[in-house]
Each structure stands twice: as structure tokens, then as C-alpha cells.
Amino acid sequence: MSIGQNIPHDSSRGHVTGGSVFIDDRALTQKEVFVLPVGVPAAAGLLKSIETKEALKAPGILAAFTAKDFHHNHWGTIIPEQPVLVENKIGYYDEPALILVGTSMDALLRAKSLVKFDIEKHPAILSIDEAIAKKNFIYKANPFACGDAHSALQKAPHKLSGSFECGGQEHFYLESQACIAYPMEDGQIEIHSSSQHPSETQHVVAEALGLSLHEVVCIVKRMGGGFGGKESQAAPFAAMAALVAQKMQRPARLCLSKDDDMMMTGKRHPFKNFYEVGFDDDGRILGLKAQLYADGGAYADLSSSILDRAMFHIDGAYFLPHAHIEGYVCRTNFHSNTAFRGFGGPQGTMTIESIIEDIAAYLKKDALDIRLLNCYGKNQNNVTHYGQTLTHNTLPDLFAQLKNDSEYLRRRQEIDIFNSQGTGKIRGLSVTATKFGIAFTARFLNQGNALVNVHKDGTVQVSTGATEMGQGVNTKIQQIVAHTFGVPSPDVKVMATSTEKNHNTSPTAASSGSDINGSAALQASLEIKNRLAWLYHNILIGTTMNDIAECPPVDLNQLNLADFHFHDGNVVHLPSGQNISWTELVKKAYLNRMSLGEYAHFKTEGLGFDKARSLGTPFNYFTNGVAVSEVEIDTWTGESKVLQADILMDLGRPLNPGIDRGQVTGAFVQGMGWVTSEKLFYNKEGKLLSHSPTTYKIPSIQDTPRVFNVSFIENNENHQNVHRSKAVGEPPFLLGISVWTALKNALRYKSTQRIPHIKSPATPEELLMELKQYE
Ligand code: MTE
Ligand code: HPA
Ligand code: MOS
């Protein structure tokens, strides 16, 4: 039994020994050159000319290319409007406008400052407020409406209105954007990229170079983290390297430095959301009106989809009987913001969690009671504001069990006492939830394909469109295939992702990498398994004999598949008790000239969403979870720490509980970093100043919760997904929000007159400034 087991991550040994190969670890090949994109020193304006004469004279510099060298200089997943290199109009500070080619990275870094840009600077839009004032929008969503929010608000006994603001977030993957392009015969290009989306990388490279898709192969062995940052934004860098490979007929390596990566690539979308909520004396939400504004940055990228997901997740875990939700993506002069773990979901859910914290403060109640009151029900109050009914809703169970297991009430009492003692420190406690919709909201992306090859010695190779970025998708697919064949998991290898083996793939994103690709791999494996069972059946009844009688064509009607048990490297015919080893059977299949390879295509059934009416079933199912965080603020310095976090999640039947525990833990810490310490600073010109670990603060091991408990409930009901598992990648990111609401809760103890109001991230400065208001 491989499913549900904690077999180690397929790269665990390589990652700790240094054996894992990332892009820049690939050996240099003959004549290989290095590529450096150079960004413009202005956030808005017109690029008049670029002076490269001096740079080209510098030692080790071979060439420089600009926008006009591309066959096609624009790309974009949804709207193809973003230049690979600036042509004329500048979108953001440090936007790539030139690529320098050299014999070494050192040579390039020395020559970079010799490049001179002639720019006519224009005023830049550097905030959501400015973009709203100028009505500078990339996208306006069709509103989501359920019930009659207007009259519900009019009739509501209590109302609160205000705004909620959260900042962006740097992905901080350890491997920056990286790729190597190799020129092949007949003008073909082979590109090795650190990309979550090899098919799009193939597509953007082909278009940029004037090639057809079949002339470009994109290969992804693994990424040193992606977190959404390499879903769309790996592609333009691949196009730059490929251009050099095409023009110079030499392998071209482009691996960004951390600083360049942070300055040039997009981040999580900051949001500013306005709302009006109506509720009764108990805190039951009667109506919600909200307008969401996302900072898309300079170009569209995936912003419209991200805004949609924010609108889908503004309910959090709570039933909204009457709601009217509007959404806009602002165009500003920042790097083009992009996918980041949660994909807008966190920005939507955090809004309602913040609102609930405010309702509790207003009614002088415990926020957990407000959450329990509003939580989606099992059989009633279980339809979302976009009309999807929750089936097997585990949220009420999760809240109840966490309240009990974490000793919420006892700890609340202790915090009440602690905060009354005037120690200069205040503590807070808060529970938040995640109800994350699993599926790409663009239905066509919910498909995948898999290729399974069983070799003569019984070992297996499987290839899918899934890319490994540390999340363990390879290990899960390995388990699914090993389980199907009943072979030990080391006998199955998941191969590097390549557009040559798997075509038209979707990005490994939306947490559905193992759902989609695992399902396709299962389907392909089952086909082979059935053929082998048929062969064994024929061997047993004597219709198949080596070299005398070949196995007849497969006829599954004549076969009771359940009679054959593939287990522990053996195939047992249960009725007769006879068995044959897996390797023996595979060898016989080969000698019988039976195919030991299979390809399968999978699509997620049951998805349908009417965009015009904002109604339907965009998601296959929901991954649910709850977390309680206890925090402490030093009221003199504003510094805070997480004393304890307890997480309880419903992951169905996890394929690999150990990997999932890693996902939950990592996502929570990444989430709490977003809402506490990770702040992006720009100067007045719009240049990012926090572009290295010295100025941008991700959580370190000391920042993780002092006490950190992660558990799962048992749930065997998720028949919608492979082996009844549930996706895990993004959903627990949203639980980090509980740290922010706990900080808000702590402030309540100091603020007797007003409802605490803070932005995210709740940095020490943000908390101190709020505390000042109470003096
Ligand atoms: N875990 C690690 N270690 N590294 C990553 O880059 N990306 C996250 C999540 N977990 C990521 C990760 C994101 S944004 C997504 S969408 C999923 O993994 C993608 O993989 P999956 O669909 O296979 O879960
Ligand atoms: N989630 C994540 N990535 C995506 C999505 C989505 O819904 N749609 C397109 N890319
Ligand atoms: Mo994840 S943001 O869907 O790559």
C-alpha cells in the first residue's frame, strides 16, 4: 500500500546532499553564453533610445538585443499586452528593456552600468487610490450578487462600513527565474526552464521567435520553489534566452540574481476593499456589499483571474444570505503582479475575517462565537454567494473540534487575566478558517495527460504535465502509479516534465497538480494493469503459451478484474490462489507483443460557471481548515510574536500525510509572513527598495510559532478526487490570517473607545501607530 503512506519526497536526499540539479547547476556546454536583462530607471514615460556603445566595448561582452530583435515582442496569459522588452512606453521601474550577452556573469555585471537610457519621464501611478481616482482599470468584473443586499442592509439592526487593505508579497523562491536555451537542428529550440507552466513557456518562446509550437521543447526537471511566481512570469525570461540562442546559435543561460528577480518580477496583488456589512444583535451577517480593488501593476498578467478568485472567496467560511460584490483590477506603474499561493483567495477571505473581528469588537463579543454563528451549515445555509452548494461540509466539525482541542475557552480566560495585569505586553487569540475552492476557475485548464512506460524489467517511468516545485507532486504521482501496479514505490520514477511527452498542459497551479495529473496517471496505469490481468487470465486458462499461442486481443467482458490482486510485487489470481511475480508477468507481456505503455487524458467533471450571471459550480470541491493563533505584542516597541498556533484541516484521505503536513506548516508560515513582516517598500519614483533579504523580512525559524500543532480530521467522503484525497498546496496559506486577526484581537484590550483598525502587514510600525491612537 503506497497510497496514504509517508514515503519520503523524491528529492529529499538530493536537496540535503546537493545532488538535486537546478537550472544553474547544469554543466556549461560548449560556447555557452550568459544573458543579463537590464531594467529602465523610471516607472513611467517613453524610452527614447538606448546607448550600448560603451557596454559593448567592455571585456567579455558579446552582444546586446532589444525589443526590435524579437519576431513578436508581446506576451500575456490572458491579454497579450506585455512587452518582453520595453519598446517605447515604460510600465514600471526596472522593467527589462535590453539584454546583454557576455562570456561570464562578472563581465555582464561590470558592463551593465555602461548602458545609458534616454527617457522622457511621465508621472507614475503608484497607489490603488490614484488608479481609482483616474479610473485606470485593467479589468472590471461582472458583479456577484445573491439575494437583495441593498434592502438587507437597510433593514439590518447594525451596520459597519470601512475599508480593508493588504499589501503585496514577494514569492521569495530560493531559485530565481532561470532558464537555458539550446539551439537545435533546423532552427528548433530546446529550453530548460524553472517554470510552473512548460506549455506556456514553449508557447511564448515560439511566438517571440517566430517558430511553431512543434519547433520548441520546454523541459522542467524541478524548481527551487515557484509559489505562483513562475506560473506566467517564467516565460518572458525564457523568450530572452531563446532569442540569444536563436540569434547567436549558442546555448544561452539566463539566471536572475535575487535582486534583479525581486525588482523585475510581479508579486502578490495588494488589495484595497471597501465594504458595508449589516448584522443582527447576535452578530449574524444579514447583508454584505463590497468593492474590491486589486493592484494589478503595469500589465494584465493573471490579474483578472486573481480578482475573480478574491470575489469567490470573500465569503470565507461564512454564509452570506445577501451579498453584492464588485471588483476592479487597477493599472499602476508597478511590476506586473501575478499568481501567488492562494491566487486572490487570501485577499478575499481576509476581508471577511477582518469584518467579523470588527463585528465582535462592536458587539463586545468573542469573535469565535460570531464565526460559529455564521459558519456554513451542513444541510442549510450551505449555498455560496455564487450558487455552489457545499457538499459534505466539514467546517462546523472543524470549528467545534479545534475549539475543544486547543482549549480555546481556558486560554481566552488566561489572556483576559494577562492583559489586565499591565505588563507592557498584550496578548490576543483568534480563530480563522479556510474554505478553498479547488479547480482552475477557467474551466478549460482543468485537464491533463499522462504517459506511463513499463519497462521490460518491471520498472516504471511516468510523465505528466505536473512540475515539481517542492510541493511533492512527483512523490504523490509515484505513489498513485506504484499503488496501481502493486510495486514498491522506488520502482516508479516520475520523469522530468517535457512538452515533448505531454502536450498542451495546464500550469501546475490552483493546488490541483496532483488532482489532475495524478488522475491522468491513474487512468493510464489502470489501462496497463487491465491488459496484464487479461494476459495472466489467458496464461492461467492456457490460451496463451510462449512462442506457440499469442495472447488474444483484450476483452474485459470476459475478465473479472477483481479476481486479480496486484500487490507487493506479485499478481495473485484470488479464486485459484495462483500467483506470478510482477516482473515475470511484464516480461511475458513483452514477449507476447503487448503494449506496456499507455497515454491517458483526464478532465475534471461537473464544472460549469456562468460568468454573465456569476452563478454556477466553478469548483470541484473545497479544502477546509481552521487555525487558532495566540500572539503577544510588546506595546513599547510594537514587536509581536506568535506564542502558539493550532491547525486542523480536512484533507480528505491524504495521499501522503507527511508531505501534506509539510505543505500545511510551510503555507501557514508563509501566510503569517505576508500579514506581519513582509512589507514592500518603494521610493517616490516607484523603485522597489526592499529587493533583498536584508531589506525584505520573511519569517525565520525564530518567528515560527513557539508551539505549533498541525492535525487532520478523517474524511472519507471526497469521492470527487483521486483516491478521495484533497488538494493541499494553497488552502492552508489562508490560515496565516489568524495571526493578523489575533493581533487585532490583542489591540481590542487596549482600545476601549474604538474598533482597532490596522492594515496588513501588521508590522511593528503599524501596530505602534495604532496603539498611539489609544493614548
Ligand atoms: N510548496 C513548495 N514547497 N514550493 C512551492 O513553490 N507552491 C504552492 C504549493 N506548495 C509551492 C508549494 C502553490 S502556489 C501551488 S498552486 C501548489 O503548491 C502547486 O502544486 P500542487 O498543485 O501540486 O499542489
Ligand atoms: N488558480 C491558479 N492559477 C490559475 C488559475 C486559478 O484559478 N487560473 C489560471 N491560473
Ligand atoms: Mo499557485 S498561486 O496556483 O501557482
Side-chain angles (χ1 to χ4, degrees):
M1 279 299 284
S2 183
I3 294 296
Q5 272 186 354
N6 281 335
I7 68 165
H9 190 287
D10 74 338
S11 297
S12 52
R13 190 177 288 268
H15 282 3
V16 294
T17 58
S20 298
V21 175
F22 298 89
I23 294 291
D24 212 11
D25 296 324
R26 293 178 61 83
L28 280 176
T29 47
Q30 261 190 351
K31 292 191 181 170
E32 188 164 322
V33 294
F34 294 82
V35 183
L36 180 73
V38 184
V40 288
L46 297 176
L47 177 59
K48 299 291 206 191
S49 64
I50 310 174
E51 178 57 66
T52 53
K53 237 189 236 144
E54 292 304 312
L56 283 171
K57 278 192 233 155
I61 301 304
L62 301 170
F65 296 101
T66 60
K68 62 181 187 324
D69 293 306
F70 284 99
H71 173 82
H72 184 80
N73 184 45
H74 284 85
W75 71 283
T77 315
I78 300 173
I79 309 171
E81 60 161 15
Q82 180 162 358
V84 181
L85 294 176
V86 177
E87 260 171 48
N88 187 234
K89 194 164 175 238
I90 294 169
Y92 65 95
Y93 210 106
D94 290 312
E95 181 175 14
L98 173 83
I99 42 188
L100 274 185
V101 186
T103 53
S104 74
M105 210 54 210
D106 279 350
L108 288 168
L109 292 174
R110 273 195 300 271
K112 181 180 158 180
S113 57
L114 302 174
V115 175
K116 297 285 176 264
F117 294 99
D118 179 12
I119 292 168
E120 177 189 314
K121 285 192 189 176
H122 292 173
I125 296 183
L126 296 173
S127 69
I128 290 176
D129 286 334
E130 268 180 89
I132 296 174
K134 297 204 163 100
K135 293 200 168 49
N136 209 32
F137 301 128
I138 294 174
Y139 171 73
K140 178 181 186 305
N142 202 39
F144 285 30
C146 72
D148 182 351
H150 188 72
S151 55
L153 277 166
Q154 274 189 334
K155 283 186 240 148
H158 306 284
K159 269 184 286 232
L160 283 173
S161 61
S163 68
F164 163 78
E165 280 177 79
C166 55
Q169 184 179 25
E170 161 61 35
H171 299 86
F172 224 93
Y173 30 62
L174 293 181
E175 182 193 35
S176 295
Q177 303 283 1
C179 52
I180 309 178
Y182 301 91
M184 310 299 277
E185 284 181 23
D186 295 333
Q188 295 174 36
I189 295 285
E190 179 173 304
I191 181 129
H192 290 249
S193 167
S194 182
S195 165
Q196 287 173 247
H197 199 348
S199 285
E200 190 182 26
T201 299
Q202 170 201 27
H203 175 119
V204 171
V205 165
E207 208 167 54
L209 270 50
L211 301 173
S212 299
L213 292 181
H214 72 317
E215 292 170 303
V216 179
V217 176
C218 177
I219 299 167
V220 178
K221 174 62 187 167
R222 62 162 62 76
M223 279 159 276
F227 304 112
K230 296 169 181 172
E231 179 172 341
S232 61
Q233 298 205 359
F237 296 101
M240 295 176 204
L243 176 80
V244 174
Q246 185 191 47
K247 294 275 183 202
M248 301 181 72
Q249 286 300 301
R250 293 171 74 163
R253 179 178 300 234
L254 189 165
C255 300
L256 290 184
S257 66
K258 192 74 197 158
D259 299 71
D260 277 352
D261 189 300
M262 289 179 80
M263 291 187 287
M264 289 175 176
T265 66
K267 325 216 173 290
R268 181 183 296 286
H269 289 64
F271 270 67
K272 182 165 186 175
N273 301 336
F274 299 90
Y275 61 84
E276 195 179 354
V277 63
F279 49 96
D280 66 15
D281 295 342
D282 298 328
R284 191 184 305 275
I285 296 175
L286 304 172
L288 175 72
K289 272 191 190 176
Q291 299 88 43
L292 280 53
Y293 293 91
D295 182 346
Y299 303 105
D301 197 90
L302 296 162
S303 298
S304 52
S305 250
I306 288 161
L307 174 72
D308 288 345
R309 190 170 277 271
M311 293 168 72
F312 282 121
H313 285 77
I314 192 142
D315 56 340
Y318 315 105
F319 175 63
L320 302 175
H322 302 280
H324 188 91
I325 316 296
E326 293 169 23
Y328 303 81
V329 177
C330 301
R331 196 188 292 277
T332 61
N333 291 106
F334 291 114
H335 40 66
S336 182
N337 289 323
T338 191
F340 193 148
R341 206 171 197 168
F343 205 76
Q347 295 95 321
T349 291
M350 197 167 173
T351 307
I352 193 80
E353 295 288 12
S354 175
I355 289 172
I356 288 189
E357 218 58 48
D358 292 353
I359 293 174
Y362 172 90
L363 293 173
K364 301 199 168 15
K365 288 178 183 284
D366 192 307
L368 178 55
D369 293 330
I370 312 289
R371 290 189 165 94
L372 292 170
L373 189 66
N374 286 288
C375 181
Y376 277 112
K378 282 176 181 279
N379 302 308
Q380 54 176 7
N381 296 349
N382 62 346
V383 181
T384 64
H385 56 298
Y386 47 87
Q388 177 156 2
T389 303
L390 308 186
T391 51
H392 299 293
N393 176 17
T394 49
L395 286 164
D397 305 332
L398 288 165
F399 270 113
Q401 190 178 326
L402 185 75
K403 182 177 176 182
N404 189 55
D405 292 358
S406 70
E407 299 186 81
Y408 182 89
L409 293 176
R410 175 185 64 74
R411 288 164 63 199
R412 172 63 69 198
Q413 279 178 356
E414 285 174 7
I415 288 170
D416 288 346
I417 294 167
F418 179 87
N419 287 343
S420 67
Q421 290 169 340
T423 58
K425 301 205 160 119
I426 44 169
R427 291 183 179 169
L429 186 68
S430 179
V431 181
T432 63
T434 182
K435 173 187 74 49
F436 200 81
I438 303 300
F440 289 95
T441 54
R443 190 178 63 176
F444 71 91
L445 291 174
N446 295 288
Q447 59 175 319
N449 60 75
L451 177 67
V452 175
N453 293 332
V454 178
H455 293 275
K456 268 195 291 188
D457 65 352
T459 59
V460 185
Q461 291 177 327
V462 51
S463 306
T464 73
T467 55
E468 176 63 50
M469 57 193 102
Q471 87 278 37
V473 69
N474 282 1
T475 310
K476 290 180 177 180
I477 291 175
Q478 177 189 23
Q479 286 177 281
I480 290 169
V481 175
H483 176 80
T484 312
F485 293 148
V487 300
S489 46
D491 285 2
V492 178
K493 288 245 181 264
V494 177
M495 308 307 288
T497 316
S498 163
T499 56
E500 194 168 29
K501 290 175 290 180
N502 301 98
H503 58 92
N504 306 314
T505 54
S506 297
T508 307
S511 302
S512 55
S514 21
D515 289 26
I516 291 173
N517 298 284
S519 297
L522 174 63
Q523 223 166 284
S525 307
L526 283 174
E527 289 289 325
I528 297 173
K529 179 181 175 176
N530 291 347
R531 280 207 290 272
L532 289 171
W534 171 252
L535 172 66
Y536 192 33
H537 165 78
N538 279 280
I539 291 171
L540 288 175
I541 62 173
T543 47
T544 299
M545 288 164 286
N546 278 353
D547 290 341
I548 302 170
E550 203 163 53
C551 187
V554 180
D555 182 0
L556 292 181
N557 293 324
Q558 288 187 46
L559 187 70
N560 187 5
L561 287 168
D563 287 351
F564 297 87
H565 188 45
F566 287 63
H567 187 65
D568 262 353
N570 275 294
V571 183
V572 184
H573 180 242
L574 293 171
S576 69
Q578 299 220 58
N579 77 86
I580 185 170
S581 78
W582 160 262
T583 37
E584 195 59 28
L585 186 59
V586 165
K587 205 184 296 164
K588 284 186 187 299
Y590 172 71
L591 294 172
N592 272 282
R593 301 190 291 181
M594 288 177 89
S595 166
L596 284 165
E598 193 59 51
Y599 163 86
H601 175 262
F602 170 83
K603 62 175 178 171
T604 312
E605 298 292 348
L607 304 175
F609 185 72
D610 180 349
K611 263 203 141 183
R613 295 192 306 141
S614 298
L615 218 57
T617 309
F619 302 118
N620 189 22
Y621 61 89
F622 295 86
T623 294
N624 299 328
V626 287
V628 52
S629 290
E630 182 174 347
V631 300
E632 183 177 282
I633 304 173
D634 182 322
T635 56
W636 299 113
T637 64
E639 284 167 305
S640 69
K641 58 184 171 189
V642 184
L643 302 178
Q644 181 170 340
D646 298 75
I647 297 175
L648 184 62
M649 289 205 68
D650 162 22
L651 299 176
R653 279 192 197 168
L655 293 169
N656 186 319
I659 282 179
D660 286 2
R661 178 175 296 270
Q663 285 292 294
V664 173
T665 311
F668 179 88
V669 172
Q670 199 171 34
M672 65 171 255
W674 174 51
V675 300
T676 55
S677 65
E678 295 184 40
K679 193 169 164 82
L680 297 159
F681 286 93
Y682 301 85
N683 70 11
K684 286 203 178 67
E685 303 261 278
K687 180 177 172 60
L688 180 68
L689 299 178
S690 49
H691 54 73
S692 84
T694 53
T695 44
Y696 185 76
K697 174 80 180 78
I698 62 169
S700 71
I701 194 72
Q702 285 92 345
D703 299 310
T704 58
R706 302 291 198 271
V707 180
F708 200 177
N709 300 312
V710 176
S711 0
F712 307 142
I713 59 164
E714 217 175 275
N715 174 11
N716 293 316
E717 302 304 325
N718 197 43
H719 297 270
Q720 286 98 315
N721 193 29
V722 59
H723 290 297
R724 304 190 197 182
S725 63
K726 282 193 175 189
V728 65
E730 297 166 285
F733 180 94
L734 283 69
L735 296 176
I737 293 169
S738 62
V739 172
W740 187 82
T741 49
L743 291 167
K744 218 166 146 159
N745 174 251
L747 293 172
R748 238 177 98 177
Y749 287 91
K750 279 269 166 190
S751 161
T752 43
Q753 300 305 315
R754 61 176 228 153
I755 298 173
H757 186 85
I758 50 171
K759 293 177 191 166
S760 175
T763 58
E765 292 88 336
E766 182 71 22
L767 292 171
L768 263 189
M769 257 146 37
E770 177 66 14
L771 282 164
K772 276 263 172 230
Q773 309 281 324
Y774 311 152
E775 283 169 5

